[in-house]
Every structure is written in C-alpha cells, then in structure tokens.
Amino acid sequence: MYSDADAAALYDVTNPWDPDRYASDRFYHDLVMAADSVLDVGCGTGGMLRLARESGHAGRLTGIDPYVAALDRARRRTDVEWCVGTAADAAWDGVFELATMTSHAFQFLVGDAELRASLAAVRGSLLPGGRFAFETRHPQARAWLDWNPSRAEDLVDARRRPLRSWYEVESVAGDVVTFTGTTAERDGTVLRVDRTRLRFLSEPALDAYLVAAGFTVDARYGDWGGGPVTAASTEIVTVARRL
C-alpha cells in the first residue's frame, strides 16, 4: 500500500511551489505578498503560504484543507495557521483581505450545493472589498483527453522509490469528469488508486455562481501572463471581489 502520508510527500516532490519556475505560482505569490491577511482554501501541503512567510510576509496567513496527511506536512511551519476543513467550513467572519484556491482546487467543488456553500463561506471570510483568486481549466481545452495510461510518468518519491503514475478517465457527464489516478511500482504492481471528480465550468456558468454568491469579477485571464480568455485558452483565471 502507498499511504496518505506517502502520497502527500510525493506531491511535494512532484509539485514544488516555485514562483521562479512556474508562472502560475508567481501569479499567486505576488497577490499573497501584497495582501495583509490571506486565507488559502485547499492549501494542501502549504507550499504557497510557507514560501510567503519565508519571503518576509508579516501578516496573517491561514490555510485550510480537508486532507489531514497534507496538513501534517504543512505544519512543519508553525508560524502559519493550519486548519482541517473544506471550503464550506471556512467560518471566519470578515477577516481576510485575500482568499485563494490554487492548483485547480476550485474544480473539486462538484455539486451545486457544495459550490454555493463554499462560495458563501469564502465570501463571508473576506473583508468588504476583499478578493478571491482562483483558476479552473477551460472546458474548451478538454484537458481530460490527455489523462490516460499512455501518458504514464516515471518518478522517484521522497524515499527514493522508483514509481510510475498515470490517470485514466472513467466518465464525462456534462461538465463533470471522473477519473482515477494510479501509483504503481515500475513493474506495474499497483500500490494505490485514487478516484477524483472535477467540474469544468464555462465562463458564463462560473460567473453566474459568483454573482449569486455576492462577488463581482475584478479580473479575468486566459493565461498566467495576464492575457485575455480566447478560443485557445486552457485556463480561466479569476480574481473576484466581495461586494
């Protein structure tokens, strides 16, 4: 078996938070460093907030995530507040200048009720005029077409074990894609299979949810360089403001 702790450690190896290498990380890092108080929803292993503190952020930094094994790694840094919970559990009352959901975490909000409750909680946690920054994969790019065993990746985990990982789509139903992620030994021996559902919202559908939750869209980009959303965009990057 490949434990939750093993999987969280592997995530840190394969997805290092590095604004100097990744334009998406630079986008969020700059927003975080410019805000006095930040709530990272779906913070995972905490890479973004840990780096912000290392980079000199002196304000309030709070991360929330339902994945206990990931938070165990995040808590190696004790000068950031780490909380167990989902987006809908964000029960702070108007205390943050900025909220974020990075690494396509927004797409894990699949059901209508879950999405509405999550947006309401995030909005309630923000100061009046506070901003909520997040991204989703643009459905027109059909990213799931690349999630198949033919694109298996060989990697080495934190304990120097050689592994192979791949994704495989089970179904596409409306705007929801269900797929599995497999972690195996190089000889094909399966160690772990995780099933995930992601929602691919169009711009109009996304904006309808935001407006209903009491947000207005401040900025919208189709790439990490600040370009507009076009027919070729693979991302929908949104900065919304609490009304």
Side-chain angles (χ1 to χ4, degrees):
M1 297 297 295
Y2 204 69
S3 71
D4 283 358
D6 289 331
L10 178 62
Y11 182 87
D12 269 350
V13 171
T14 58
N15 298 275
W17 189 266
D18 189 346
D20 291 330
R21 291 174 60 190
Y22 305 114
S24 57
D25 295 358
R26 171 56 58 186
F27 176 86
Y28 286 110
H29 181 74
D30 289 347
L31 288 176
V32 169
M33 295 305 293
D36 290 335
S37 52
V38 181
L39 173 64
D40 187 18
V41 183
C43 64
T45 57
M48 183 180 73
L49 296 185
R50 286 189 281 120
L51 180 61
R53 192 66 88 199
E54 291 169 10
S55 301
H57 195 293
R60 181 174 182 178
L61 297 176
T62 302
I64 183 171
D65 197 283
Y67 191 23
V68 174
L71 285 178
D72 286 343
R73 295 188 64 79
R75 287 185 173 123
R76 292 173 297 173
R77 181 129 204 149
T78 59
D79 54 359
V80 175
E81 179 184 4
W82 306 108
C83 305
V84 178
T86 66
D89 295 323
W92 293 272
D93 186 12
V95 296
F96 295 102
E97 183 178 322
L98 174 71
T100 61
M101 288 187 80
T102 69
S103 304
H104 303 105
F106 189 89
Q107 291 185 252
F108 284 87
L109 305 176
V110 172
D112 288 348
E114 178 187 22
L115 180 52
R116 292 188 183 106
S118 299
L119 286 172
V122 171
R123 181 189 181 278
S125 298
L126 288 169
L127 291 161
R131 296 188 296 168
F132 175 34
F134 64 96
E135 88 284 347
T136 66
R137 299 174 183 87
H138 202 306
Q140 70 184 1
R142 303 176 74 189
W144 60 87
L145 294 179
D146 289 333
W147 300 346
N148 57 74
S150 70
R151 297 197 175 243
E153 179 183 8
D154 287 341
L155 44 85
V156 177
D157 75 358
R159 292 165 58 183
R160 308 306 300 169
R161 291 175 289 189
L163 301 171
R164 179 166 294 152
S165 70
W166 65 88
Y167 300 105
E168 191 163 4
V169 173
E170 290 187 346
S171 66
V172 180
D175 56 16
V176 176
V177 176
T178 302
F179 64 99
T180 57
T182 300
T183 304
E185 296 179 347
R186 294 283 176 87
D187 65 4
T189 301
V190 173
L191 303 174
R192 180 185 180 99
V193 178
D194 295 292
R195 179 169 284 101
T196 304
R197 298 171 73 217
L198 297 179
R199 191 168 186 180
F200 288 74
L201 288 171
S202 66
E203 277 191 274
L206 175 60
D207 290 348
Y209 281 109
L210 290 170
V211 169
F215 287 99
T216 185
V217 175
D218 256 9
R220 170 66 51 72
Y221 309 112
D223 58 56
W224 296 109
V229 178
T230 70
S233 295
T234 60
E235 301 282 351
I236 303 173
V237 183
T238 302
V239 181
R241 185 177 298 276
R242 173 184 170 170
L243 295 173

